[in-house]
Amino acid sequence: MKTLPRIAYFLDPGFPGGTSGAVAAELAAIANIAQLEVHAVSSAMFGSKTVAPQIRKVLSKLGLDLIWDAPVVSGDVVLLHNPSFLKFHREVNQKIIADHLIVIAHENFLRPGGFESFDVGHCLDLIDRCSLTLQKSIAPISPYNRLGVEQWLSANSAAGHWAVVEQDWFNICEFEIFPPTKSPKDRRGRHSRAGPEKFPLLVDMDHCFSKSAQSNVILGADLFLNEKLDRNHWNMVPFGGLEVARYFEMIDFMIYFTAPTWRESFGRVLAEAIAAGKVVISDPDTASVFNDAIVPARPSEVDDIVANFVSNPKLYRDQVIKAQKNLTAFSASAFRQEFQSLINTNVRRAA
């Protein structure tokens, strides 16, 4: 009888939104095929012992303890999620011992233009110095994310001992699927946390959420509300001020662009919109993560794209159905298959 592989997670559990949601889904997906430990770090990013609700909920469901600041983190494989949480640290007080250490790159290493998103070298050096492993790898979470990882490694020869896993370590996107509306209207929306990097230039916001639309719902509009921005044709709601399910009931088009100096590494919120039965429009880099599931565009093209879908309900329906089929590539079963392939290749199992 084969022993299940020992998998240890090492992370700051305080990450809001996408990172914690991804980790929670991942833990649930592999709980039956691995012996799991979840190690938490009191990082300088979120304060001492902050735990995101998604992490707390899945640990309770699986009957797992959250192990804080253990001196040693060990396993056949150690998974370190989102290394950017170490950017304010001078050292890591834990020792990592494993056959294979995999760093999952939730945040892009590089921004558009080639600038670092955070001090990547510092974070990887801290991890390198605290770990004793047979192999160290970085796992990108999307094709766009992979491009930045490979470019960064190519430009930093001292990081040559880091391998890059062959398959993307994608976010699991298993959401309830809703059918598309039979009669789409020009009802537009966007949803994100309120960070300035999440929003495009104001001129692009005006293109995306124009006066010609029947309605525009901006969920996460804290910055605009604080500045008392004059846009009477926008329904501006602070982050968390509206249930996401209710938000999706108010829109037919999810329009999502970010600052010119920033890109989503994966875009979990876009997968949620696809599952909710909406047509999603975004920049080509972000759209590439989900193949043909997202309509690639420039902000200046949004009015015409929306008008075309509204006047052609069948085209709208076909786009949503095609997009929802593409989500199966990010299912829990697909993740388990990729995970087991990686473990079988790299982990020495006990007899």
Side-chain angles (χ1 to χ4, degrees):
M1 181 177 178
K2 291 183 177 180
T3 302
L4 294 177
R6 297 180 302 115
I7 310 297
Y9 279 72
F10 186 58
L11 71 157
D12 185 329
F15 274 106
T19 296
S20 292
V23 172
E26 192 176 305
L27 287 168
I30 67 171
N32 293 331
I33 61 173
Q35 302 177 66
L36 296 179
E37 287 187 354
V38 184
H39 291 264
V41 178
S42 301
S43 82
M45 180 174 284
F46 300 108
S48 178
K49 298 190 175 181
T50 299
V51 183
Q54 304 98 311
I55 301 292
R56 194 183 302 276
K57 182 178 180 181
V58 75
L59 291 177
S60 175
K61 181 179 179 180
L62 297 177
L64 292 172
D65 293 325
L66 189 60
I67 305 168
W68 283 97
D69 299 320
V72 176
V73 177
S74 65
D76 295 323
V77 176
V78 172
L79 305 176
L80 191 152
H81 275 267
N82 212 343
S84 66
F85 77 82
L86 294 170
K87 62 186 177 182
F88 300 119
H89 285 239
R90 293 186 176 181
E91 61 182 353
V92 176
N93 295 321
Q94 291 76 21
K95 298 296 182 184
I96 297 173
I97 302 175
D99 288 344
H100 193 179
L101 167 63
I102 303 175
V103 173
I104 294 92
H106 287 269
E107 293 193 31
N108 292 325
F109 281 13
L110 300 178
R111 296 188 177 198
F115 299 101
E116 284 192 342
S117 297
F118 58 97
D119 192 341
V120 178
H122 171 72
C123 294
L124 291 182
D125 184 58
L126 288 179
I127 296 166
D128 195 25
R129 288 192 280 118
C130 78
S131 59
L132 178 62
T133 68
L134 296 177
Q135 184 177 0
K136 295 182 176 73
S137 298
I138 299 171
I141 66 168
S142 71
Y144 183 77
N145 182 259
R146 174 179 296 274
L147 181 62
V149 168
E150 291 177 344
Q151 288 178 343
W152 187 91
L153 289 173
S154 177
N156 291 269
S157 57
H161 56 282
W162 287 94
V164 180
V165 299
E166 293 183 2
Q167 298 297 323
D168 292 339
W169 192 280
F170 60 84
N171 286 356
I172 296 170
C173 297
E174 283 200 339
F175 310 111
E176 185 177 359
I177 300 296
F178 292 86
T181 178
K182 295 179 181 179
S183 54
K185 297 179 175 60
D186 191 346
R187 305 187 304 159
R188 312 180 192 184
R190 83 180 309 282
H191 170 218
S192 73
R193 59 179 172 81
E197 74 281 0
K198 291 284 188 177
F199 289 83
L201 300 173
L202 189 54
V203 64
D204 290 333
M205 284 291 292
D206 285 332
H207 281 305
C208 294
F209 304 100
S210 64
K211 291 181 180 180
S212 66
Q214 180 176 328
S215 64
N216 296 292
V217 182
I218 316 298
L219 179 55
D222 306 58
L223 295 173
F224 303 136
L225 290 168
N226 293 339
E227 294 174 3
K228 302 187 186 305
L229 184 68
D230 182 17
R231 293 293 186 278
N232 293 330
H233 56 290
W234 292 1
N235 179 5
M236 293 184 276
V237 184
F239 185 67
L242 187 66
E243 290 290 333
V244 174
R246 173 56 185 146
Y247 157 75
F248 283 131
E249 291 174 355
M250 300 168 68
I251 71 168
D252 292 316
F253 296 89
M254 171 80 163
I255 316 236
Y256 192 85
F257 293 85
T258 57
T261 56
W262 197 82
R263 288 291 182 275
E264 292 284 0
S265 56
F266 186 81
R268 189 177 179 85
V269 67
L270 305 184
E272 293 177 358
I274 293 168
K278 313 304 173 183
V279 164
V280 180
I281 303 170
S282 189
D283 66 88
D285 287 334
T286 302
S288 68
V289 175
F290 297 97
N291 299 318
D292 295 328
I294 295 174
V295 179
R298 296 188 297 269
S300 61
E301 300 170 329
V302 168
D303 276 346
D304 289 341
I305 291 171
V306 171
N308 188 39
F309 278 116
V310 170
S311 63
N312 293 277
K314 184 180 183 302
L315 183 65
Y316 181 96
R317 176 182 177 275
D318 290 347
Q319 172 62 28
V320 172
I321 291 173
K322 177 179 67 175
Q324 291 178 339
K325 286 181 180 178
N326 281 356
L327 282 188
T328 60
F330 306 99
S331 67
S333 60
F335 182 88
R336 276 193 297 272
Q337 184 175 353
E338 294 290 350
F339 179 82
Q340 286 181 303
S341 176
L342 180 66
I343 296 305
N344 290 337
T345 301
N346 293 284
V347 177
R348 300 193 311 266
R349 292 189 178 187

